[in-house]
Amino acid sequence: MSQTVNDRRPSSLQGATLPKWSPYAIAAGSIALGLGISAAAGLDSKIQWGLMAAVFFVAASYGIAAKVEGKRQAKDRVATSLVWVAFLLAVIPLVSLIWETVKRGVKVLDVYFLTHSMGLVTDTEPGGGIYHAILGTLEQVGIATVISVPIGILTAIYLVEYGRGRLAQAVTFFVDVMTGIPSIVAGLFVLSFWIIILDMGYSGFAGAMALTILMLPVIVRSTEEMLKLVPNELREASLALGVPKWRTITKVVLPTSIGGITTGVMLAIARITGETAPVLLLVWGSTFINTDPFDGPQASLPMYIYQQYANSGGSGAAYDRAWAAALTLIAFVMILNLAARGIARWKAPKTGR
Amino acid sequence: MDISTKKSDAPPPVSPPSETEQKRAARGVTRPGDRVFLGLSRGSGIFLLVIMAAIAAFLTYRSVIAISKDESNFLTTFEWNPTAVPPSFGIAVLVYGTVISSIIAMVIAVPIAVGIALFITHYAPRRLGGPLSYVIDLLAAVPSIVYGLWGALVLAPQLIGLFGWLDDYFGWTGILDWQGGAPRSLFTVGILLAIMILPIITSVSREVFRQAPQMHQEAALALGATRWEVIRMSVLPFGRSGVISASMLGLGRALGETMAVATVLSPSFEINASLLDPGGGTFAQNIASKFSEASEMGRDALIASGLVLFVITLLVNGGARMIIARRAEYSGANA
Amino acid sequence: MKLQRKNRLRALSLGAVAVSGALALTACGSDDTGTGSSDGSTTAANSSIKCDDAKGQLLANGSSAQKNAIDAWVKQFVTACKDVQINYKSEGSGAGVTAFTQGQVAFAGSDSALKPEEVTASKEVCKGGQGIDLPMVGGPIAVGYNVPGVEGLVLDAETLAKIFDSKISNWNDAAIAKLNPDAKLPDLKIQAFHRSDESGTTDNFTKYLIAAAPDQWKYEGGKAWQAKGGQSASGSSGVAQQVKQTSGAISYMELSYAKDGIASAKLDTGASAPVEATVENATTAIADAKIVGTGSDLALELNRATKADGAYPITLVTYEIVCDKGNKADTLAATKAFLTYIASEDGQKILAENDYAPIPEEIIAKVRTTVASLS
């Protein structure tokens, strides 16, 4: 760094700087240019003029800043604009996705839809609801979470805090393998062992077991990463005070990384909540309300979405229900996310950042 | 403070891991609580191993049945006819499709995701950063079937213009030649996968960047470094292993993505020279498409292909592990 | 420290709210009992349902082609017999048969009759008996297309085969023009879509091409699409959506999907006039079918090269598969009651309302006798 710092120092303390509004001006200019060229060349895709405008923006920022402020500042500006561009590029499809889901989903989404099951409503008829599916998903995901969060976090603790030797290597290896399990294969495994060999019958719990298999590696990997980031000084300080190691882990290491761990768990829940294939194989699906996850067929939201869509032909009552259920599923995970985030924030130690 | 000696590529680790190891070795006393806790965490690890071993045994058993009955070369055959007499199926098309679509997805997603993560942690106004990271997390929660519907109904029609443009200017390369079919090719799948794995890569990278030692950043700023220089010298090196790990999580999802690919791709058992023409297939998509109507033999064949997906994922993860291990000194803990 | 404790309290209370919320949720939902009788047949149908001592949960799995028919039947049946719950999962014929031979379901729905090795496998599940095919539902497979400005398109087997084998690639091709002298065929590329998943619909469609255009369609047929070229989509729904979205598209799908912007082509079978894909024409075609199953098995074989007037040859017959003897004791009564209902006159009558074709009287009569003898 010292080289860069020493190299070409401007004579005065404050070099020439571009006015604050310049990025906006450049942005406006490049969007106009992108639109102009698109119009001139007769291109009608929004993606194209967007990309063009982005390229112009980055190039213009560099050119202008290099001229006025010098190379280092120019690089900084390019980095800034690249980061902005990356952000905007990503936001466009994501916003479009949400927008489409909301637009198509609100048609049939109402209290009746949320509090009634499909019952005897056939797929071709309007009416019915997703209550049974919400209940099924809640229970299945809940069971999977209750099983896999402690096991996953403890495994990660083992790997980071204790892990040495063959066992740790084997666990690391198999966690990697597990991330690669196609979800349908996890479902098939549970189907063969639990339902066909042990003859336990289709149930929400069978689905929850497959979800656990899918959830575990995600939790282990992300928790591991977060625990590794806890500075060693903290551990050493605690150990030096005579605190036993397990207290150090539960009182110092875990609280420090709780934010990251929660994010990881949330991501894992998010991943399995949307799983269709294994659930389809294991919980069977039902149009009726079944509150007992351990006995009898249950429904689940992603499965409901999939089946309604697959039976709709792209329009009609089933199609509307599929989108409304998708919207509900997203909203459900969002609320869950918000709650967990709140808890993580309250529990996290104040770091002063 | 002598920053120049340390500047070359990374901030120093918080403390060398070896010290802790020595300390731990010196502390001979173990307390009951410690023993219980160690037992619990080790037990979890072993539990995980047992499940995995069971799955691996199950998969291998079924795969061996399938492959031993396969009359053609499992690795190089361009067709999938497990119910034919004699059965004949191979995974060449699936390997190609899976690898290509994942590469496209990673090339697009990783830089953008790192960009967003930096944006949230270092560029965005603080008030914007929180809600933003929340929105990104939320997007990881969108079920893949919804991404699939969106991809087929909204994204694909939008891509017609882009495909036409690529064909006009890069059609001569062969790989970007477009015959004018519906834009439901491996390239479309790659773009969709990129969008799908963006949130997951972003979330993890963001957490890692946030952990970058504040002192180094402040020191660099105090020396007159620009914001980009701070990031390049103290944030990125610190976060590298985290970003790689995040990318691997994303890649894992891209490799195994099922419903979205099955909805968007127009699959066929042939390899097209061009990325823009419909055709090809991925492991997970093939399993989902063929599974429900498959006979016992067909299921075994699909499981065998699932096993290959396993091995591919394993190789990728192994590679990532090696990269991370080489940079282990940047991690705060001693693993 | 104090602050932290307060936070813990808040977290706890949040958890409590979540849990009680979930409990409240459990309490407030209810099953939708349907929109009631929108048509006159509903009340009439109920009288013919004899519940006997049927109760409990019936699991069934299989063909998605008959899903809507089963839905309609289940609605009538369960309304009459409150003690029975029927869960039909439309995963696919193959999955249905597999689940059946593994003993997981009371009956399976399948678009194709059991194969010899599947019958052998079923003997393990059906103690002292074997799995049999009972034809219950028929349905026309429409050739849906989306060509602006063209209505009432007429095609024949040879042309269809050429289109789906990528030998004809433009809508203004001479072969199509010859069949449609009055239509204004545009200069538009043909986008032929097929199913990317394995399906009984594909099987029946290609069987027709093999029977009626053996010179043009050289593939061996089956549930997986075998011709090269063309584009594909997953499920009838996916295919229908692509046809809607793509100008110049053509594909095959169950009749109920060929709506909202998808027109179905008429077939020139050699009959006096081109045959439309309708429920009546499909019924006519099934009437021509002969029973090829042995014993109590009633597998049908359609005459796909038919030239009879008003017989639509691309027709699919789907079966319920049960054990003739050795059905599980706890589901036998309910299975028998349900199958008796769907084979009854009332059961068959509601099919047409859902774009399905009923099974002709002389065949369904045999089905009724067989159902009555199930044990």
Side-chain angles (χ1 to χ4, degrees), chain A residues 1 72 233 334 341 353, chain B residues 7 14 134 137 210 229:
Chain A
M1 190 189 298
R72 280 180 54 222
E233 282 96 336
M334 184 165 79
R341 207 158 262 274
R353 248 182 269 159
Chain B
K7 60 107 222 182
V14 189
Y134 172 63
D137 278 0
R210 200 166 268 165
E229 284 160 353

Side-chain angles (χ1 to χ4, degrees), chain C residues 268-327:
Chain C
D268 183 351
T269 57
S272 59
V275 188
E276 217 173 323
T278 61
V279 169
E280 296 78 40
N281 293 345
T283 316
T284 316
I286 302 172
D288 204 15
K290 50 180 191 288
I291 297 175
V292 291
T294 50
S296 48
D297 189 302
L298 295 171
L300 299 181
E301 193 179 274
L302 293 169
N303 176 13
R304 292 178 197 276
T306 182
K307 292 185 175 167
D309 276 355
Y312 186 77
I314 320 181
T315 296
L316 167 139
V317 172
T318 92
Y319 305 92
E320 312 309 329
I321 293 172
V322 284
C323 295
D324 56 354
K325 291 187 193 69
N327 283 295

Side-chain angles (χ1 to χ4, degrees), chain A residues 233-274:
Chain A
E233 282 96 336
L234 286 179
R235 294 191 180 87
E236 282 155 14
S238 168
L239 289 172
L241 289 169
V243 180
K245 187 166 181 184
W246 72 279
R247 300 276 296 172
T248 306
I249 292 170
T250 52
K251 291 287 167 186
V252 176
V253 178
L254 281 182
T256 313
S257 50
I258 193 76
I261 293 177
T262 317
T263 310
V265 170
M266 292 294 41
L267 286 173
I269 292 181
R271 176 179 166 183
I272 62 157
T273 312

Side-chain angles (χ1 to χ4, degrees), chain B residues 49-93:
Chain B
L49 272 190
V50 170
I51 294 183
M52 260 327 293
I55 297 178
F58 165 75
L59 280 177
T60 320
Y61 171 67
R62 300 278 298 255
S63 307
V64 166
I65 294 178
I67 296 175
S68 64
K69 285 188 192 152
D70 189 2
E71 287 294 313
S72 21
N73 189 323
F74 183 62
L75 295 176
T76 56
T77 305
F78 278 57
E79 62 173 339
W80 194 267
N81 273 326
T83 44
V85 188
S88 160
F89 51 90
I91 53 167
V93 174

